[in-house]
Amino acid sequence: WQFEITGGGVIRARDLQRAWVIGYDGRAFVDGVEHDDFEDEAPVGSKAKYVSDDWPSGPLGWSFAVLKQGDRLGLYADDHGYVTILVNQRIVSKLKMPGINGVEPLYPVLELCGAAREVALEPHPHLPVDDKQEEIRDNSAEQLQTIQNLASRAFHVYADTYAAAMLVQECFCCTRPQVVPMAFTRLLLTVHMWLLNDCPSIENHSDMLMMLSQWS
């Protein structure tokens, strides 16, 4: 993105258009407009540690200003439009944000202000897992093993040629109207991001494993 700053003004993250911003003293902004009517679905009592008499707390009920050096801040946007904020692997806010649909790619924006002077980014973050998520992770490991086993056999150029021919047949020579499954769209987006990231090892790319599992 390119921004034009006029009159000596400073663009803050909360002023960005086509953006969802959560931060400051516990406030949420959509397309540059503050919203205070979000229903927070975080666990009861999860915010208590991040409330202080020294700092005001906004509509979210807690303040980012209370965070200390060494705290680990996480942000997760899911396919259902929820944005989850985690501090030290614990959920403190979970908001339903309009416009997040799990299809269009999202890009992080980080603003250093107030007491924050520097941050370190975790290249391969992991969400805290419950029993169900642990089962999904185990299934992903099995999926990875299956992919690796099949990959060693699909080495002949005829295999790729046949697969391409089938795609052409279905897309251009079929009289039936084509319906693109959402899982396939997400898989294409994930592959695109994987290529942009210089094709990291699959075991270090959990999104790829998840999308392959859903597509299969």
Side-chain angles (χ1 to χ4, degrees), residues 6 15 28 34 61 67 86 125 128 136 145 149 157 167 201 209 214:
T6 60
D15 299 323
E34 182 176 1
L67 300 181
L86 306 101
I136 293 176
Q145 186 62 48
N149 292 337
V157 67
L167 287 174
S201 177
L209 288 175
Q214 292 180 1

Side-chain angles (χ1 to χ4, degrees), residues 43-162:
V44 176
S46 61
K47 311 174 190 297
K49 187 177 179 180
Y50 305 104
V51 177
S52 171
D53 294 335
D54 298 330
W55 298 96
S57 296
L60 297 185
W62 66 286
S63 175
F64 283 64
V66 180
L67 300 181
K68 299 179 176 59
Q69 183 176 1
D71 282 337
R72 298 173 65 88
L73 183 64
L75 178 100
Y76 175 66
D78 65 27
D79 292 345
H80 304 291
Y82 283 95
V83 173
T84 302
I85 303 294
L86 306 101
V87 177
N88 300 323
Q89 294 290 300
R90 295 190 177 277
I91 296 175
V92 292
S93 280
K94 183 177 181 180
L95 310 176
K96 178 76 169 181
M97 305 292 273
I100 296 180
N101 53 26
V103 177
E104 296 183 6
L106 301 176
Y107 302 94
V109 173
L110 179 66
E111 177 183 355
L112 294 181
C113 63
R117 291 294 178 265
E118 64 179 9
V119 296
L121 300 181
E122 170 59 52
H124 304 295
H126 295 285
L127 285 172
V129 297
D130 54 25
D131 292 340
K132 182 178 180 179
Q133 292 170 324
E134 188 68 38
E135 180 181 353
I136 293 176
R137 179 176 294 180
D138 291 341
N139 291 337
S140 296
E142 294 178 7
Q143 181 73 10
L144 172 61
Q145 186 62 48
T146 301
I147 293 170
Q148 290 174 335
N149 292 337
L150 294 176
S152 61
R153 305 174 191 173
F155 61 88
H156 202 285
V157 67
Y158 288 161
D160 291 336
T161 303
Y162 177 78

